Amino acid sequence: MFFHIFLERNMLLHPRHFGPHLRDKLIAKLMKDIEGTCSGRHGFVVAITGVEDIGKGLIREGTGFVTFPVKYKCVVFRPFKGEILEAVVTMVNKMGFFAEAGPVQIFVSNHLIPDDMEFQSGDVPNYTTSDGSVKIQKESEVRLKIIGTRVDATEIFCIGTIKDDFLGVINDPGAAS
Amino acid sequence: MPRRLEDEYEEEEDDAEEELDEETYDAYDARAGGRKRGRSAFIDDAAVEEDEDNYEEEDEEDEDELRGGRGRKQRKRGSEFFDLEAQVDSDDEEEDGDEAEDDFINDAGADLPDESGGRRTHRPLNMMPEDQEDVEEMERQVYERYAKSSHIEYGDDATEVEQQALLPSVKDPNLWMVKCAIGRERETAICLMQKFIDRPELQIRSVIALDHLKSYIYVEASKEAHVKEACKGLRTIYNSAKVMLVPIKEMTDVLSVESKTIELSRDTWVRMKFGIYKGDLAKVVDVDNVRQKVTVKLIPRIDLQLLANKLENRDVVKKKAFVPPPRFFNIDEAREMHIRVERRRDKDTGEYFEMVENLMFKDGFLYKTVSMKSIRSQNIQPTFDELEKFRKPGDDADGDMASLSTLISNRKKGHFMKGDAVVVVRGDLKNLKGWVEKVEEDTVHMKPDMPGLPKTLSLNEKQLCKHFQLGDHVKVFSGVQEGATGMVVKVDAHVLIIASDTTKEDIRVFADNVVKSSEVTSGITKLGDYELQDLVLLNNKLFGVVIRVESEAFQVLKGVPDRPEVMLVKLREINSKIDKRVNAQDSRKNIISVKDIVRVLEGPCKGKQGPVQHIHKGILFIHDRHHLEHAGFICVKAQSCIVVGGSNDRQGGNKFDARFSLRPSSPYLQSPRRPPRGPTDNGGRFNRGGRGNDTLVGRTIKIRSGPFKGYRGRVVEVTGALVRIELDSQMKIIAVKRDDISDTSGSATPFREPSRYGVGSETPMHPSRTPLHPYQTPMRDAGGATPIHEGMRTPMRNRAWAPMSPQRDHWEDGNPGSWAGTPQYQSGTPARSYEAPTPGSGWANTPGGNYSDTGTPGENSPLYGNSPSPYLPSTPGMQPLPLGSANYLPGTPGGQPMTPGNIGLDIMSPAMVGDNEGNWVFPDVLVNVIRPGEGPSCTAVVREVLMDGSCKLALGPTGDGDIITAHPADVEAVRPKKSDRIKIMNGALRGITGKLIGIDGADGIVKIDDTYEVKILDMKILAKLAGQ
């Protein structure tokens, strides 16, 4: 789920950046530092939409670095248990398949794939229904439900299922070809 | 028969029980009863009552445990003894041995049980007279005792506090541990008891022998002296035996019994204890408590052939060692082997069985009725494999149920904790989910997850099972997969399927073996000295990376590059850990070291990329995070990889660079301009043709300076100005500047000379021009590698050379600075001083080779051989040789030939000379034979070239003199004159004869005999033919 929230961070800025463009430098650094990171609490920071407030800088003794408390608004993405997501399949193997929804990697175990879909190994490993009408392979787009998340310091990993109503392949580029 | 009933209805049978007990604690127990009383008195007067009650209670509880075999035995035994009532119970105890005995100790607090310990044959003899003596007294006492208790309601109201009061205190007599002869504990106890009966003045109160404690008995007495007194004179107790006091705290432990409730019920898993099925998993299908028999279902281990043989009364070869593997019984197969299979209906169950002889089969399983004693029902943990085998289609629920009941019976204490999610698996509330609120012993208070139910329900632990939901992150805490973590992807009753965090593999575990956890591990990572991801050397000289640690073994990805091979390796099969820092070369000769990121270029894992974890014997173990198999490890040959960010360049210089990248000189040597010049360069410097580096490779050389001075070795590789040499004396390869080496071996290098001559002959101008380059090169080198020596020497040489050699005029032009700038070298320092300590000598002979190939007399002489003073023209060649330049300048031509020749030989490897000779010497060629010390040489005709390079010569210009054998070093080709018949000794036209039609400086104009072509060839490769 996406959220647009305020976050705060203390930015450490090198004295060489001091000057007329200090603010720009600070924001640039903030974006560089923050965007794409992941925290367990908020999830992935997708984009910084604006800087609300930059507090007074505090010069650190000895180093000359300055700490600015920066309050910024950003879009975060955090997957939740039970959430329905659309994801792109990145890898298929006999244990299941991996899909990505933006920065989140989701593993769908073969136990969580409908029973009528069988794993077909070969050049393009895939899961196919017995009648061959539905096929999950690399690059397929699937709709899945997250049933579990594991949050590391730098990564959120999810387990998903497509064994439910209205879940499964929504667009399969491979099938068309 | 009350005893029988009691099995089922203990509670109601209290009275009967007591009556029985009354009889049970037979006459001879009178004293025990009395003692017990006495003991109670110690505790508290007030407590006595309760005390009694509690004893009763315990008694009754014990009865519970005893139920089963007891009644039956009693019936059986009772008739065996005269003293019916007196014997009955004690016999029971005996039979039930394990469980019963200890309980009884508690009950009576007396030595009764000890006496019961298996001496049934003589006990009645011993006891009976005694018993009968005070039987009346006994009766009275017993009656007193039980009459009282029988009226008391007891049961639930016995609180813990009351129980506490029973615990021994300081006031109670102590327990003493006495050592006795091993295996005679019971005997000792009975003896002591007998002794006590005989001599009532003994102050001991009870004697206890425990079955599980060998060579010790416990004696209850107030003082140690009393114990000693009692033990005195007993055969089975050693005099010296020390009497040890049992601390009060431990007294209860001595007599407490771990309840072993054998709950054999249908569908439990058991293991066989004996026979060919020993250790096999079996499932109970029927229990006959009365006959102590169980019917179990097994996967048969039957050798059909053997069975067939037996049935046909053929010879049955008894092969004891052979245990047939378990497999399902197949009727058709059996019939094929002419085994009669009957189909019968079981009387009791109404099920059909296939009967072979007296074996019962159903669905391929063997149904076997065995004694309860021959199966083990405790701590059975069937593995999934075993369960899978038992599982038949449509049998799922059944199998699960079975494993569930087994699991539950195997649970440890404290299995449930507050907050655990549980599900009811048995009883009316089955499938009700909830959370554990409180755990009390076996009872679990649970908060149901269902509206309309009471807030908490208390259920027996056995009715509950842990419950997990999809997506829960859990950790396995017992079983084969112990330590693994993952997310639940499937809940199948009490079996969970977990997607492991690390491998994403499925793990099947019992819900009972799992706890919720946020931790991420891959299970156990260490076993013995070896950890996950270690590179280990196996016993069979294989090596591999540990990709998984199991409870007793490792999974090792073997170091076989073609396809991934995983091996299960036991701890002891691992030799050692390989922990060396080694490097390897990738396909582009870049150096790969551990942690470098490489990409696989070929093979099954093509395209994979990751950091190198281990390198061993040119095989890389790459860890690719996205590779799911084998814990992400890929095993590839170093050659089929490329370092990411490495160079794609295949140039030699690169190779060199990678290897010696720390050397500042390397960029220098790598300069792109160099390679094209290489051949000339080498040719010039090294007295060998334009073949470049290759010529040196494989040659045996001697190192002339540097730390390895004096070592001999074989050239492995030539890279720029460095030569890698494999030392003969040491097992290593070193890099040496090529200037620091000199050829030493006599090994033939035929290719070298031809090329040189080829160059010379085809392009007559070259010989003179070539020197120009070599001299530049040293200067470049001087800048990079050996600044001083070469820098100094080069100019010196220039100068020394220039004036003397006419063809070197341009040389002077080329290097005027050095010429003019360093005149003092010439005179001031003898050339030798430079030569000796430095690669100079190498240099010295190099130019010699270059300029005119005159560095060696051998080469000189053929060229100038037929000139009257052959050495004069060759003098320039001598120059670089370690003669002082001063020496040289005024040098007398006559004296020179020998000296420089010798020196030249010293410095140049004799081998080279030999080579040359061997090469050039041809039959029919006219040569000069030099015999040291004989003054002017004489001419001879080569008649034959021998295998070892020496040649047979016929003396005299026409070859009509004596035949002698000479070493090639001692002969020189005679330099042809104009219109002489010649033979070409080297180059492309080697061996061809022709006529010298003119001489142009150092070149000869030759008309080839066969083709009449006119060629301009270096004079050096022309030799005069004899017989003209």
Side-chain angles (χ1 to χ4, degrees), chain A residues 93 95 111-112 147 150 157, chain B residues 471 487 489 501 504 506 628:
Chain A
N93 59 35
M95 293 175 273
H111 299 287
L112 301 168
I147 58 162
R150 189 184 77 224
F157 182 78
Chain B
M487 265 193 244
V489 295
D501 282 333
K504 302 289 178 299
D506 291 347
L628 292 173

Side-chain angles (χ1 to χ4, degrees), chain B residues 626-662:
Chain B
H626 303 293
H627 187 70
L628 292 173
E629 290 154 50
H630 313 120
F633 274 96
I634 302 166
C635 171
V636 282
K637 275 207 205 87
Q639 284 91 346
S640 47
C641 297
I642 184 165
V643 177
V644 173
S647 161
N648 279 337
D649 200 347
R650 274 192 192 260
Q651 269 183 20
N654 229 323
K655 186 165 53 173
F656 170 75
D657 182 30
R659 190 165 311 212
F660 305 104
S661 53
L662 290 177

